[in-house]
Amino acid sequence: MGRLVVVSNRIADPRKTAAGGLAVALAEVLNSTGGLWFGWSGKVVDSTDADDVHFQQAGPVKLATVDLTQVDHDDFYLGYSNGVLWPVFHYRLDLADFDAGYIAGYRRVNQLFARKLMPLLKPDDIIWVHDYHLIPLAAELRALGCEQRIGFFLHIPLPPPLLLAAIPGHDWLIRALFAYDLLGFQSQGDLDHFGRYVETEAHAQPVEPGRWRAFGRTVQAGAFPIGIDVEEFTQLTAAPDAVEMYERMKNEYSRRKLLVGVDRLDYSKGLPQRMRAFREFLERNPELRSSATLIQIASPSREDVTAYTDLLHELESLCGSINGNFGELDWMPVRYIHRTVARARLPGLYRASRVALVTPLRDGMNLVAKEYLTAQDPEDPGVLVLSRFAGAAEQLKEALLVNPYDREGTAAAIGLALQMPLDERRSRHGAMMKTIKRFDVHWWCDTYLEALRQAQAEEKGTSWLRL
Ligand code: ADQ
């Protein structure tokens, strides 16, 4: 097998526990091939210093990073990736800022990545590019003569064709996807959107299921729902940090059932809607009021984007008013914590919570749902309330599925979850754990890479490119 080269906007040192399941899983494959992981260093520097590639050895894995200049960071990262693609791909046209300058910066950084990566490549490398920051990377690499096999995985949702078509330059963006040999999406729904887009907007010909021809190229695409490292997370649950967290929470809340939400503070996660649904639940169930506490962890994220500061204020004021209206001297209904919880402690918090509220308005997958279930005691498991608009809902059908826009419906599901009898909790949990174990992160990695290796070789040359 050729060497694996992973490219993503941010990279993680896979030897550190904070890195998370995805980094650990990628590292495992990278380790076995002596692979290379290439991405942005996270540093913004003066333009004169921005040209170097920094190397670091993490066991058998080589990490290579480049810095970005302030203007590249603003246009590529804040402007186009997180100001255009993130909102539109999460169905939020209203939040997209289509400033024309951003797309040039997006292309410039993708060209920089291609230019810096190209000399590091070996002829039989297999290249796996991750996420919306790097859609045109394969096309830029091909323009420099790269003929290696290149795959792409989109971690976030792909919206329906008419939403995609609202992006100025959407045709350029989707055309760039045809430079890959394999496209991976999180769900069947996303894959359907891709098929419909390319057939209606790009007049692509379906060659066979999951294969389309357009712009003189054929591309293969499939749904590869990402999973977690179940074994690693189970070990983390039994380790001292998580056990200590579990015991502390159990003692502190011995008279109450806990509900938990763990998210990045992002408008796609539906946090204000979740708070309003919880308030509705408290209003409608006075008898259950002081028996339930919601702990909401919202880790800081992209705070230099305006939509995020607005969200921060909205959430703070909602939590304040719920506590003001319903709190008692010895009970606050919501504990809102605007901080990241150490990964090693998270399983303890999950296990101590009777209910998890995972109610994004849109989410590519949502790994918190899978982590929460994995951390449960199978003999006395908690209940997952899951948005039907998370990619995870295609797999976790035994969750209490809700429409997060429906406040009353979500409030009713919270009530059901808190009162669900043990045998029903067990059977739902058991069924979902079967799926989570079968489609874990190793399955995801192996299945994707096997499909990339099998993807039919494409015609050489770049005459079709015209990006
Ligand atoms: P994210 O939007 O970051 O990821 P998610 O899958 O929920 O969303 O979480 C990723 C990881 O971050 C999980 O391991 C989780 O435990 C951790 N995490 C989230 N909030 C945290 C907090 N407050 N404190 C500590 N840890 C926290 C994107 C897509 C998702 C997709 C993933 C992976 O948006 O839809 O599931 O990539 O493909």
Side-chain angles (χ1 to χ4, degrees), residues 31 80 95 135 195 232 269 402 453:
N31 277 340
Y80 202 75
L95 294 177
I135 291 172
E232 180 236 20
K269 304 291 182 185
V402 297
R453 270 181 223 111

Side-chain angles (χ1 to χ4, degrees), residues 155 186 262-264 269 299 341 363-367 371:
H155 288 259
Q186 294 273 31
V262 174
D263 308 79
R264 275 188 308 101
K269 304 291 182 185
S299 56
V341 172
D363 219 329
M365 174 56 58
N366 197 297
L367 295 179
E371 291 172 353

Side-chain angles (χ1 to χ4, degrees), residues 17-224:
T17 46
L22 173 60
V24 173
L26 286 174
E28 219 174 76
V29 195
L30 284 164
N31 277 340
S32 66
T33 64
L36 172 73
W37 194 345
F38 184 94
W40 173 38
S41 62
K43 288 198 193 112
V44 176
V45 296
D46 287 341
S47 50
T48 42
D49 303 327
D51 229 32
D52 301 336
V53 180
H54 315 287
F55 294 100
Q56 201 191 329
Q57 199 66 36
V61 184
K62 191 184 249 185
L63 307 176
T65 54
V66 288
D67 305 328
L68 291 182
T69 64
Q70 189 68 51
V71 62
D72 281 350
H73 174 260
D74 291 354
D75 291 356
F76 156 79
Y77 182 71
L78 298 178
Y80 202 75
S81 300
N82 289 319
V84 176
L85 297 180
W86 179 273
V88 175
F89 281 33
H90 287 90
Y91 298 54
R92 293 298 300 271
L93 284 182
D94 58 315
L95 294 177
D97 174 4
F98 293 118
D99 186 312
Y102 298 153
I103 197 165
Y106 182 69
R107 181 154 186 209
R108 199 166 58 238
V109 172
N110 273 275
Q111 283 169 338
L112 169 81
F113 269 44
R115 224 172 36 244
K116 296 296 176 188
L117 177 59
M118 194 65 192
L120 309 180
L121 295 177
K122 297 177 182 167
D124 64 344
D125 279 350
I126 190 156
I127 305 163
W128 191 5
V129 178
H130 289 259
D131 232 358
Y132 58 102
H133 314 85
L134 300 174
I135 291 172
L137 183 63
E140 299 297 355
L141 283 168
R142 301 269 186 240
L144 297 177
C146 174
E147 291 183 348
Q148 285 88 336
R149 205 152 274 226
I150 317 180
F152 177 75
F153 186 80
L154 184 67
H155 288 259
I156 65 175
L158 192 78
L162 280 180
L163 278 177
L164 259 185
I167 304 177
H170 62 96
D171 40 349
W172 167 78
L173 208 58
I174 301 300
R175 182 190 188 95
L177 284 176
F178 278 74
Y180 289 97
D181 297 293
L182 175 68
L183 303 174
F185 298 104
Q186 294 273 31
S187 69
Q188 192 58 43
D190 298 329
L191 178 61
D192 291 346
H193 293 157
F194 176 75
R196 282 201 352 246
Y197 176 95
V198 294
E199 286 178 28
T200 55
E201 297 280 334
H203 308 293
Q205 295 300 317
V207 182
E208 57 188 27
R211 252 177 108 70
W212 286 270
R213 185 160 184 84
F215 315 113
R217 294 265 305 182
T218 311
V219 77
Q220 191 157 324
F224 301 86

Side-chain angles (χ1 to χ4, degrees), residues 275 294 296 313-325 332-337:
M275 288 304 155
L294 168 59
Q296 176 62 56
H313 295 138
E314 185 182 8
L315 198 57
E316 279 171 357
S317 110
L318 266 168
C319 294
S321 85
I322 295 174
N323 283 339
N325 290 331
M332 284 297 160
V334 180
R335 285 191 64 187
Y336 162 64
I337 296 152

